[in-house]
Amino acid sequence: MVMETLTNGDDGCKTSNKLARIDARPVQLIISPEPVPYPVALDAMKARAAAIAAGEAEEAIWLIEHPPLYTAGTSAVAADLLSDRFPVYDAGRGGQYTYHGPGQRVAYVMLDLTQRGRDIRCLVKGLEGWIIDTLDAYNITGERRDGRIGVWVQRPDKGMLKEDKIAAIGVRVSKWVTFHGISLNVMPDLTHYDGIVPCGISDQGVTSFEDLGQLVSMPEVDSVLRSTFERRFGPTISASEESLVSTGPRSLVA
């Protein structure tokens, strides 16, 4: 599992194209039009990752939203769950508690690292860079922080040294295939974060495109996510939701 310590230090990606496949085989890009229940998504990811590891399926990025819920990573501390307002699921990824819900773009990334350098630290930095590039397209400055996985935005309007998290990262690697991924706050209800201590960090806040004054649609963000992903990871090809579940659950919509 990928834990927060993997973001420490500067020995991640040594070259800009380290995460791209040499054969330039495209990654399937799948977008679910309706919110997907978390247990269904988790089962589908596991099935797809296993199929990729077995050489039976293509790599995939899955862009979805979830109904409001909290997930607990392997380092979650019980005291950081402040409310039972929403369902809580064990995610099986690294990290602590996080929130998913409408208005948040979740990108589940199922990549074969045997074709992409076998470097998990590089993967994490690549995912952070993917988010930072996406934010930059909207004139939002996203930043990394040593020891704190995810992407942060400085908030001098809230006080000296204040900053908010705009995107979380939590991945797991099994047989060198990744699953789980990133969550980017576009226009979620930020009060939903009040039920947890997000990622165990209590002295900083959370933000979103909307909170920062950027009113954008999810399809607009998806388009930018696609182009910025391709810069770092290589080409994508559009695929249907059915292609994702050919080895997993047949119904993804609640």
Side-chain angles (χ1 to χ4, degrees):
M1 277 169 274
V2 179
M3 307 301 287
E4 289 81 351
T5 53
L6 289 178
T7 61
N8 291 337
D10 59 2
D11 57 340
C13 295
K14 300 297 183 182
T15 62
S16 61
N17 64 346
K18 183 172 182 178
L19 289 168
R21 291 179 66 115
I22 294 175
D23 62 5
R25 194 175 185 91
V27 178
Q28 290 187 345
L29 177 71
I30 301 157
I31 303 177
S32 289
E34 301 292 338
V36 179
Y38 189 79
V40 174
L42 189 59
D43 287 346
M45 275 194 294
K46 289 179 178 178
R48 183 58 173 258
I52 293 169
E56 298 170 353
E58 300 292 336
E59 296 175 304
I61 314 167
W62 187 15
L63 303 183
I64 70 173
E65 292 175 87
H66 287 302
L69 59 93
Y70 300 126
T71 63
T74 55
S75 301
V77 177
D80 287 346
L81 180 63
L82 307 178
S83 170
D84 59 0
R85 178 180 182 184
F86 301 126
V88 181
Y89 298 99
D90 289 329
R93 54 160 173 77
Q96 302 183 45
Y97 284 106
T98 194
Y99 166 77
H100 295 312
Q104 181 191 75
R105 177 49 88 209
V106 176
Y108 290 132
V109 181
M110 291 152 277
L111 300 176
D112 183 358
L113 293 187
T114 67
Q115 304 297 318
R116 297 177 182 274
R118 291 179 182 257
D119 189 330
I120 298 174
R121 194 183 296 269
C122 181
L123 168 72
V124 173
K125 290 189 176 295
L127 294 175
E128 289 174 334
W130 177 25
I131 297 165
I132 290 169
D133 291 347
T134 300
L135 295 173
D136 185 63
Y138 294 95
N139 296 313
I140 298 172
T141 301
E143 299 177 344
R144 298 179 174 93
R145 290 290 180 266
D146 286 346
R148 283 195 263 149
I149 203 165
V151 175
W152 298 80
V153 176
Q154 293 186 27
R155 298 302 303 270
D157 53 310
K158 292 185 174 182
M160 290 184 61
L161 305 179
K162 288 296 183 179
E163 56 191 10
D164 288 340
K165 193 172 191 177
I166 194 169
I169 298 174
V171 294
R172 182 165 181 166
V173 179
S174 176
K175 298 181 180 178
W176 287 108
V177 176
T178 69
F179 56 109
H180 298 284
I182 71 168
S183 59
L184 177 62
N185 289 339
V186 180
M187 47 190 168
D189 184 340
L190 295 178
T191 67
H192 289 181
Y193 280 91
D194 293 345
I196 57 171
V197 178
C199 301
I201 299 170
S202 59
D203 60 343
Q204 305 293 352
V206 291
T207 191
S208 66
F209 281 71
E210 183 178 55
D211 184 49
L212 295 170
Q214 292 283 358
L215 303 181
V216 297
S217 69
M218 199 67 78
E220 288 175 312
V221 173
D222 289 346
S223 178
V224 176
L225 280 169
R226 183 174 192 170
S227 63
T228 52
F229 178 91
E230 290 180 337
R231 289 180 209 164
R232 292 175 178 270
F233 295 88
T236 63
I237 185 170
S238 297
S240 68
E241 194 177 61
E242 288 72 23
S243 69
L244 175 75
V245 298
S246 60
T247 55
R250 286 293 177 186
S251 177
L252 292 178
V253 180

